Amino acid sequence: MKIDRRTIKTRHLIKRAFTDIVHEKPINKITVKEIANLAGVNRSTFYQHFKDVYEVHEAILEDFATEFIRLFRERGYQYHKEDTERSLRGLINYMQDNEKIFKILVRHDESVLVDKMSRKLIYYAKESKYEGYVRNPEQFVCAVYFLMHGIIGLLKKWFDQELDYFLAEVGNLIYTFIINGFVLRNQH
């Protein structure tokens, strides 16, 4: 189904207006009128694209998770250390480049973001050649959820400035945990 440029532009304006407003107040306090006014559209135009404020939030979440998986695919992720590191760095950079949206999504419901991204990653793994690497599908699902919760939680702490690390160091920690496990020892 092909969507025309006007529709894409209008949806983008509405989502951007929502993103700007949600920094000022919680979702349940945002009105369609506020979003429409900031987006420069009337309310009937808003309702042609979204049924309510929550659907705008869901569309932003879907866009974020879809782009995450697109980058994952684009980087040609494989189960090799070098590819894991390259993919992970690209995904962390994506989250950093989209920090405003990432913060909105984790602030309002981190578990929904983790679930959406995990489901997309599991679906992608099932439709791709990764199944040859997965010996136990149930354990794979558990591992994906475990890793996504950890990665998103750690990045949230960094974005909230609760970690005294550079982003590259956070990426290195995540990479180390994935490749080497959680064995922590002092480096001499």
Side-chain angles (χ1 to χ4, degrees):
M1 178 169 107
K2 187 169 174 142
I3 300 175
D4 70 39
R5 283 190 294 195
R6 286 178 299 164
T7 298
I8 293 169
K9 181 180 178 186
T10 302
R11 289 180 64 86
H12 175 75
L13 290 171
I14 291 169
K15 289 187 275 187
R16 190 172 69 204
F18 172 87
T19 302
D20 291 343
I21 295 169
V22 82
H23 277 290
E24 306 299 321
K25 58 169 84 174
I27 293 174
N28 64 346
K29 301 288 186 196
I30 298 172
T31 66
V32 169
K33 183 178 179 181
E34 288 175 291
I35 295 171
N37 286 343
L38 189 58
V41 301
N42 60 43
R43 285 184 15 192
S44 64
T45 300
F46 175 94
Y47 287 117
Q48 288 173 1
H49 298 277
F50 299 99
K51 73 177 184 184
D52 57 22
V53 172
Y54 295 98
E55 191 172 53
V56 178
H57 180 258
E58 177 63 29
I60 291 169
L61 173 63
E62 180 66 28
D63 290 349
F64 188 85
T66 299
E67 182 63 12
F68 175 85
I69 295 302
R70 188 192 68 73
L71 286 170
F72 196 78
R73 286 180 170 163
E74 182 181 278
R75 297 190 180 280
Y77 181 84
Q78 299 292 320
Y79 287 104
H80 304 290
K81 285 185 177 184
E82 302 79 27
D83 294 324
T84 300
E85 182 177 17
R86 184 173 50 114
S87 293
L88 184 60
R89 288 192 196 292
L91 297 173
I92 289 171
N93 288 338
Y94 169 69
M95 289 181 183
Q96 183 180 26
D97 292 344
N98 294 278
E99 178 179 352
K100 187 176 181 181
I101 293 171
F102 179 79
K103 282 182 173 181
I104 289 166
L105 296 174
V106 296
R107 185 175 80 203
H108 289 285
D109 199 344
E110 183 177 336
S111 63
V112 172
L113 175 64
V114 169
D115 188 60
K116 176 78 76 175
M117 293 174 78
S118 297
R119 286 179 186 274
K120 284 189 171 289
L121 186 56
I122 291 163
Y123 177 79
Y124 172 57
K126 286 180 179 177
E127 73 175 11
S128 69
K129 58 187 173 226
Y130 299 168
E131 284 191 328
Y133 292 101
V134 177
R135 293 187 188 133
N136 183 322
E138 290 84 20
Q139 286 181 358
F140 177 74
V141 169
C142 291
V144 167
Y145 275 92
F146 180 80
L147 289 171
M148 291 307 296
H149 272 283
I151 290 168
I152 290 173
L154 194 55
L155 289 171
K156 180 180 184 246
K157 290 281 188 198
W158 184 82
F159 283 127
D160 290 343
Q161 299 178 343
E162 295 178 28
L163 296 175
D164 192 25
Y165 290 107
F166 292 110
L167 184 61
E169 293 173 303
V170 173
N172 286 337
L173 279 174
I174 294 169
Y175 171 75
T176 300
F177 293 154
I178 290 171
I179 298 300
N180 300 327
F182 297 97
V183 178
L184 303 176
R185 55 183 164 258
N186 292 332
Q187 303 216 354
H188 298 6

